[in-house]
Amino acid sequence: MNRRCSEKSVEASNGCHLQKDRRYSVSRYSIKYMHPIQDQHDDNIDVEVALETGERFFPSFFTLANVTRLIRESAPNGVGYLWAAQMIVVEQLSQDVVERCIEDLVQTGEIRYFAAFDT
């Protein structure tokens, strides 16, 4: 994979869902990776999910090992912590894992929790 952003269009397997179930009635969306995944065990990545409705969402994926390392590195005053808006923690980071998580978030409607913040 090259150093540029990669984008993949994905067809949702279940098609449309009812809005009353708090699910999006979309069948297509795209996922844009902000950079390549370097280490599937200790890495993080921001992605952009664009629904066919024009809505955009921005989850950040972190591995458990990456969270642990970042907490340890952020403890110069003796208090290690990590926070990230729109964080998703996974055991292993790969395009397959990201795509399966996004599929689930879109189909359940939980993708709405990853909308961009107003500045």
Side-chain angles (χ1 to χ4, degrees), residues 33-49:
Y33 296 84
M34 298 300 125
H35 59 82
I37 297 168
Q38 300 294 319
D39 182 341
Q40 65 181 352
H41 300 291
D42 184 358
D43 205 354
N44 61 72
I45 190 168
D46 298 322
V47 300
E48 176 184 342
V49 179

Side-chain angles (χ1 to χ4, degrees), residues 62-63 66-71 74 79-84 87 89:
F62 291 76
T63 63
N66 188 248
V67 168
T68 300
R69 183 176 56 78
L70 293 171
I71 288 172
S74 73
V79 179
Y81 68 93
L82 174 69
W83 75 269
M87 176 189 277
V89 179

